[in-house]
Amino acid sequence: MDDKTAIVARLPIFARLEGRSLEAIATLAQLVSMPAGTVLKGEAAESFYVIVTGTVHVTRNGEFVRSMSDGGFLGEIAVVEETTHTATVTCATACEFVQLGRYEFGRVMARFPDVGARIDAAVARRPHQRTG
């Protein structure tokens, strides 16, 4: 198992997948590092992110919503609904992410129903107001 596959295997959203499936996702994914202070806000969403290490703060319309850390994921609403981000995410610490672009994310959703179901559940329970 290569390093990227091992990282994907540790993430809760992919926990139920077998080795070959994890390898397929690792092939589609990129590892991305962002320094503390990096802000993801409001632009058309082109990627889905899973936090490998680090902490992000999520705000909506200037109000703190929650912190997320290792294993948390973001960008799913905007990618699924093909819209802008619904919240502002700021890296509170240096962060490493597994990133899936829109096309790769679509392939994962179609090929791995368990992962798709978990993401669909998150979309259903998370607020959909746009950032202001």
Side-chain angles (χ1 to χ4, degrees), residues 52-129:
V52 177
T53 60
T55 300
V56 300
H57 291 165
V58 179
T59 58
R60 186 170 295 104
N61 300 318
E63 298 290 321
F64 178 80
V65 175
R66 70 179 160 274
S67 291
M68 297 172 67
S69 59
D70 305 9
F73 56 87
L74 50 122
E76 73 284 349
I77 294 170
V79 176
V80 167
E81 296 184 356
E82 297 183 6
T83 188
T84 58
H85 290 287
T86 59
T88 298
V89 176
T90 304
C91 295
T93 65
C95 293
E96 184 175 23
F97 299 94
V98 166
Q99 177 187 20
L100 292 166
R102 182 181 299 279
Y103 173 77
E104 293 81 7
F105 177 81
R107 289 185 63 189
V108 168
M109 290 285 286
R111 187 166 174 203
F112 304 105
D114 182 52
V115 174
R118 294 172 103 183
I119 291 169
D120 287 341
V123 168
R125 76 175 172 267
R126 291 183 180 174
H128 285 62
Q129 304 102 290

Side-chain angles (χ1 to χ4, degrees), residues 20-75:
R20 288 178 49 178
S21 297
L22 294 168
E23 290 170 3
I25 291 172
T27 299
L28 294 170
Q30 294 181 23
L31 292 178
V32 178
S33 296
M34 295 183 192
T38 301
V39 177
L40 303 169
K41 178 190 171 166
E43 67 276 3
E46 294 299 324
S47 295
F48 168 76
Y49 298 92
V50 183
I51 304 167
V52 177
T53 60
T55 300
V56 300
H57 291 165
V58 179
T59 58
R60 186 170 295 104
N61 300 318
E63 298 290 321
F64 178 80
V65 175
R66 70 179 160 274
S67 291
M68 297 172 67
S69 59
D70 305 9
F73 56 87
L74 50 122

